[in-house]
Amino acid sequence: MSSKTMDLGGSAILAGGISGALSTFAVFPLDSLKLRMQTGSAVSGGLSAYYRGVLPATFGAMPSTALRMVSSDKVKKSCEGRMRRIEENVIAGAVGALVGAFVVVPREVVKQSLQNGTYENTRRAILGIMRTEGLLGFAKGAVPTLLHDIPFFMINSGTFYFLREDLGIPVLPAGILASTAASTLTTPMDVVRAQVLAGNLPSQGGLLATVRHLVRQSGYASLFRGGRMRLASIAPMFTMIWLTYDILRSKIESFKMKPIIAQIRRRNPFSPTHKSAFTMKPVSRRGRAMIC
């Protein structure tokens, strides 16, 4: 791996991690409200109740977003020239979601157990899940999470880069439109995932049984429960990720390149700031007298 590739990968990891953490923290109360609307759980504890689970969510967003961004970039580079750009971006979004799921799945388990009040803090949540369900407890809801995340990021990534690269729409409106489309189309699976993690499952059957149970109880509208609140949190969150990721990555790469550029200038003999061993020094008065 070349130094340039390593430099770009490092900047993508750092920019992805920071953008993921900032955006997750910013919209976390809306995410908590959305979850309570989907599961029907009550809220107690005032404003602080909406920040339960903010630490695992924020710190978990750093590696998951970084992994997703880096893997997506790698896929796009490997597919470049082999297919249309929109196809590259859709595939990159799917691969990024799949890689990021290794962090997203256990993070969602811990986060939701705090949001619904099952545990009081992150430490008790981790120990409690380990004690009652073992390591497999952190993989709970893996299937609905993948069935939600893969299409979400395929739609989000494909739409965002199509709007930005093919139509020339700026980052901010492109991010809003792409996130709105992805959020709206994947809301039913987000509702199912919330029900699975909350333990609101029928006695028999899997995901299809959960869907039938929801529809039987409240009709097809139940699959879009909390949809407006989800849109109010997802659209600004992923728009913030796209915007801050681009800004941070360009700044980080520029910062990393400055010492390299300065070193090249010092070694370049044609640079005005270059100091060579053969630079002529002014002759002293005594030296001029000796020459004469």
Side-chain angles (χ1 to χ4, degrees):
M1 185 181 290
S2 65
S3 60
K4 183 178 180 181
T5 304
M6 289 177 65
D7 181 64
L8 293 177
S11 62
I13 290 171
L14 190 56
I18 294 173
S19 62
L22 289 175
S23 59
T24 300
F25 182 82
V27 302
F28 191 80
L30 295 176
D31 180 72
S32 294
L33 185 57
K34 179 263 304 183
L35 179 65
R36 286 177 170 85
M37 293 175 69
Q38 289 178 338
T39 59
S41 57
V43 181
S44 60
L47 184 62
S48 62
Y50 292 98
Y51 282 93
R52 289 175 186 162
V54 68
L55 290 180
T58 302
F59 286 107
M62 296 177 73
S64 64
T65 308
L67 285 170
R68 189 170 63 247
M69 291 298 193
V70 171
S71 57
S72 295
D73 287 349
K74 297 294 183 185
V75 169
K76 284 194 289 186
K77 287 178 183 177
S78 64
C79 294
E80 192 172 2
R82 300 181 182 180
M83 57 187 72
R84 293 183 300 171
R85 281 196 298 185
I86 189 168
E87 294 171 348
E88 294 174 7
N89 293 319
V90 168
I91 293 172
V95 174
L98 187 61
V99 174
F102 287 98
V103 178
V104 170
V105 171
R107 182 199 71 184
E108 286 296 312
V109 173
V110 175
K111 183 197 79 168
Q112 188 162 325
S113 69
L114 292 167
Q115 286 177 314
N116 61 27
T118 305
Y119 299 100
E120 295 179 1
N121 55 54
T122 305
R123 179 177 174 274
R124 290 186 178 181
I126 294 172
L127 293 176
I129 294 167
M130 281 285 293
R131 184 173 58 253
T132 57
E133 302 178 64
L135 286 174
L136 289 177
F138 295 102
K140 187 178 181 180
V143 174
T145 295
L146 288 172
L147 290 177
H148 166 270
D149 285 9
I150 291 176
F152 177 91
F153 287 107
M154 289 173 70
I155 298 166
N156 197 11
S157 178
T159 306
F160 174 78
Y161 284 108
F162 173 75
L163 294 173
R164 189 182 172 195
E165 296 175 351
D166 295 346
L167 301 184
I169 296 176
V171 175
L172 188 60
I176 293 172
L177 291 171
S179 301
T180 299
S183 174
T184 303
L185 293 172
T186 58
T187 293
M189 190 50 65
D190 186 59
V191 173
V192 172
R193 174 175 61 177
Q195 298 295 326
V196 170
L197 292 177
N200 301 335
L201 295 172
S203 57
Q204 294 181 348
L207 294 179
L208 289 177
T210 304
V211 173
R212 294 193 197 100
H213 177 71
L214 289 169
V215 172
R216 195 180 303 115
Q217 278 192 330
S218 308
Y220 286 99
S222 62
L223 297 176
F224 291 88
R225 190 182 296 164
R228 293 179 182 177
M229 190 55 60
R230 170 175 156 82
L231 185 60
S233 62
I234 290 293
M237 182 173 78
F238 280 94
T239 303
M240 193 183 301
I241 287 176
W242 289 123
L243 191 60
T244 54
Y245 177 75
D246 273 6
I247 294 172
L248 287 172
R249 184 168 179 178
S250 61
K251 293 292 184 182
I252 292 167
E253 289 176 6
S254 175
F255 178 77
K256 286 182 177 181
M257 289 300 294
K258 283 180 181 179
I260 299 172
I261 294 170
Q263 189 175 6
I264 293 171
R265 285 177 176 173
R266 283 197 300 270
R267 294 183 179 181
N268 181 11
F270 301 102
S271 173
T273 59
H274 176 71
K275 294 183 179 181
S276 172
F278 300 99
T279 303
M280 296 293 290
K281 296 181 180 180
V283 182
S284 64
R285 185 178 299 175
R286 181 179 178 182
R288 285 199 299 269
M290 289 178 67
I291 293 172
C292 296

